[in-house]
Amino acid sequence: MKILALAILLIAVSGSSVAQVNKSYWRNPDGTPVPETSSRKSTGSMSAMILITADQDWQEKWNTPREHVPHFTETSDVGRDGTLFLLTFFGNPAVDEAGRSKLLCDFSLIKPDGSFATEQRDAVCFDPDFAMERDTTYITNITVGFKADSSEPKGSWRYKVVIKDKIAGTELPLEAGFKVK
């Protein structure tokens, strides 16, 4: 496991307005840009990423004052009876005249055999009742908690999210994976 400092994150879980400033796309804590991957992409002005963490206190870490940089432990594997949280962050979506975005998400968790553990299309994943700030990163309201109990098959699992910006008419597909050991 490695510590991933997300210097750009803003939290907006359950209407929270606590934020971390996004200095244009994803950056390391030292400010250098981070390359795009299948789990971290941008389109137009919007950027998004999936983070997989075992941090039970991820929400507490996220819900901090804007000047505090949250640190999450990123992981790509989980042992029996372990728990993972699949978090999706984004920044700079298109906004309407009131400064609000309208995001829908398709998401699926795919088992090692290719079957779906869960799948949902066009879920409202962010529809704020407040004006959004530019260059700020938010978290979607879709968080998947995964418990690797004895009924879950060992092997490589995939988590896919497509963020649909209904105002801009764009889509941003993301994918991340983890292994159940």
Side-chain angles (χ1 to χ4, degrees), residues 53-54 56 76-86 109 112 144-155 157 178-181:
T53 185
Q56 298 289 317
S76 59
D77 57 57
V78 63
R80 284 287 171 221
D81 296 321
T83 301
L84 296 177
F85 299 94
L86 314 176
L109 182 59
V144 175
F146 176 84
K147 174 79 170 172
D149 62 31
S150 60
S151 68
E152 302 298 356
K154 291 182 179 180
W157 289 65
F178 61 90
K179 184 176 275 190
V180 174
K181 295 183 172 189

Side-chain angles (χ1 to χ4, degrees), residues 11 13-14 55-64 72 87:
I11 210 158
V13 174
S14 303
D55 295 346
Q56 298 289 317
D57 61 345
W58 70 266
Q59 210 167 7
E60 179 181 305
K61 289 178 178 183
W62 182 247
N63 287 314
T64 59
F72 299 95
L87 312 175

Side-chain angles (χ1 to χ4, degrees), residues 5 15 34 59 76 101 113 121 127 138 147 181:
V34 177
Q59 210 167 7
S76 59
S101 69
D113 67 3
R121 300 220 176 271
D127 190 11
Y138 296 83
K147 174 79 170 172
K181 295 183 172 189

